Amino acid sequence: MIVVANREPYIHEYVDGAIVVKRPASGLVTAVEPVMRACSGTWIAHGSGSADRATVDREDRVPVPPGEDAYLLRRIWLTDAEEQGYYYGFANEGMWPLCHVAHVRPVFRESDWQHYRAINQRFADAVVREARSDNPVILVQDYHFALLPAMIRERLPKATILTFWHIPWPNPESFGICPWRREILQGLLGSTILGFHTRFHCKNFIETVDRYLEARIEHEHSTITHGDKETFIESYPISIEWPSPATVAAWPSVTVCRQQVFGRFGLSADHCLGLGVDRFDYTKGILERLHAVERMLEKYPQWVGRFTFVQVAAPTRSALEEYRTFQQRIDGLSKRINERYGSGSYQPIRLLAEHHSHEALNRLYRAADVCVVTSLHDGMNLVCKEFVAARDDDLGVLILSRFAGAAREMAEALIVNPYHVEETADALHRALTMPVAEQRERMASLRVTVREFNVFRWAGRMLADAGRWRLRERIEARVQRHKDL
Ligand code: GDG
């Protein structure tokens, strides 16, 4: 199996002259990495770490995870100008805001598009070189590679190409402002299967193709035929790896986690802790969340001095002006709320704008009374699933945005509209006063859902569908051969 993703699952960095391995803050990596560990194969990605070149062999490959060597990581090198155009420019200033419709205007530059096309071609060439047969199974990941499926199809016509789009797909009007909408749709239709998190995103995609391309759409079978190529459009809600009993046994108890976290922030045992964990991104609704915390302290003053909100905000895309401005706004808002409601050592908002280890995040999940996910728009969102997986004590309350794909599966959370500050503030108060019995009932049910619909179910369904398509194609080829005789 070959996975193509922009982000690599393991980044080698120089720190004080020594090489350290870092796991990036990325929902895609969280979900796809366990699947690769189980299936083996090659993961092709941009080599972005300062020590990445020092750790690969002559073919730019390195076995990972370090010490386990379950699969190969093949690194692709980009110049600063290419990274600027393809990654920061077209992917993150164009496609990301275009698909999230979070009221940040997409930017489309001709030069970014040229880089995007060239880098997609470079990855396609690498796929062809890595393929060990003429019909490999290739998993193309995300909005960085919209052109890749058709480019691979041209060189490996028999390949099974499974493309998964990790972010939302907007309606045809919103998508229509992209100057290269036809090229992007044609690129994606090189896939055998094109997957989204929800039916709603599939429907938006099909309607977009209907609006801008000449194609035959079979709604009943959810297929699109463009030229002589048929693509199956399906929803595959992504998830996380459910922690094994051995993993859970190695975790510090909830009591110990709480003591450690409360000790770190100087909180008394009867204090209540709220938690947000995100990449520091404007789509995640961090601003709206902090406004809701402020409103809760205003509306329910009994929480002043008794409630602290910890926001982990892992640095991301800080090279972009939009992100730097956003991060400054959050910083300013946190300070203002702390000035308004803090006193002595009490600070209601603790903004931790740095990368955390998995262990540190897990400790926070286990220590929190409430986890708040208020994305303005999110393909799925895995933080809510990680919080649930971390709570083997069946306690803690999840507040979840209705605009995250996860809201469709996690109905036992307190579902909110993050744009409605009053509603989120009330949900916070409700979460903090929720009886233990109700917490247990909701959390136990959420845990059943996430355990059952874990990431292996996601990958398994997609690969099973791919298997059916391969079989069908083989049968059709055989029938054709007989006809030709
Ligand atoms: C995209 C889609 C979809 C966060 N801070 C740190 C850290 N994280 C980890 C979290 C979680 C991941 O990053 C974030 O996942 P999300 O799903 O919330 O979001 P995106 O990165 O935007 O992912 C999203 C996902 O793809 C999968 O399809 O759900 O909708 O936007 O795992 O724990 N990880 C580490 N340090 C941090 O400081 N190590």
Side-chain angles (χ1 to χ4, degrees), residues 329-386:
R329 279 179 73 193
I330 298 291
D331 205 38
L333 179 60
S334 309
K335 287 196 178 114
R336 191 177 62 63
I337 298 174
N338 283 340
E339 272 162 24
R340 184 170 172 200
Y341 288 106
S343 60
S345 64
Y346 172 61
Q347 291 186 340
I349 308 286
R350 299 287 190 141
L351 179 63
L352 311 178
E354 66 217 1
H355 189 83
H356 283 60
S357 69
H358 277 286
E359 295 68 34
L361 289 184
N362 200 48
R363 241 191 326 270
L364 285 165
Y365 286 139
R366 283 165 76 70
D369 295 288
V370 52
C371 177
V372 189
V373 173
T374 49
S375 319
L376 303 179
H377 205 177
D378 219 331
M380 173 54 69
N381 191 281
L382 296 179
V383 167
C384 49
K385 297 191 174 183
E386 289 170 347

Side-chain angles (χ1 to χ4, degrees), residues 1-9 36 41-47 71-76 122-131 138-139 141 145:
M1 200 163 83
I2 300 175
V3 164
V4 190
N6 173 70
R7 184 64 66 218
E8 47 183 350
M36 260 323 251
T42 304
W43 180 311
I44 306 178
H46 168 213
Y71 62 97
L72 285 175
L73 169 58
R74 159 78 193 272
R75 288 177 169 143
I76 304 286
R122 186 172 306 163
F123 274 82
D125 295 344
V127 168
V128 173
R129 272 199 303 277
E130 292 294 330
I138 302 157
L139 271 65
Q141 306 295 315
F145 296 117

Side-chain angles (χ1 to χ4, degrees), residues 23-28 30 96 100 164 166-167 197 238 277-279 284 312 314 354-358 361 365 378-383 386:
R23 301 285 310 275
S26 151
L28 184 157
T30 300
W96 178 266
H100 279 90
F164 192 77
H166 290 257
I167 63 176
H197 292 297
I238 212 165
V277 175
D278 304 87
R279 287 185 303 98
K284 301 293 180 183
V312 172
E354 66 217 1
H355 189 83
H356 283 60
S357 69
H358 277 286
L361 289 184
Y365 286 139
D378 219 331
M380 173 54 69
N381 191 281
L382 296 179
V383 167
E386 289 170 347

Side-chain angles (χ1 to χ4, degrees), residues 11-14 18-20 48-56 75:
I11 305 178
H12 289 94
E13 296 274 9
Y14 284 117
I19 295 180
V20 298
S48 60
S50 53
D52 273 359
R53 280 180 196 266
T55 42
V56 291
R75 288 177 169 143

Side-chain angles (χ1 to χ4, degrees), residues 383-396:
V383 167
C384 49
K385 297 191 174 183
E386 289 170 347
F387 172 62
V388 164
R391 299 313 295 256
D392 59 336
D393 60 343
D394 283 350
L395 289 178

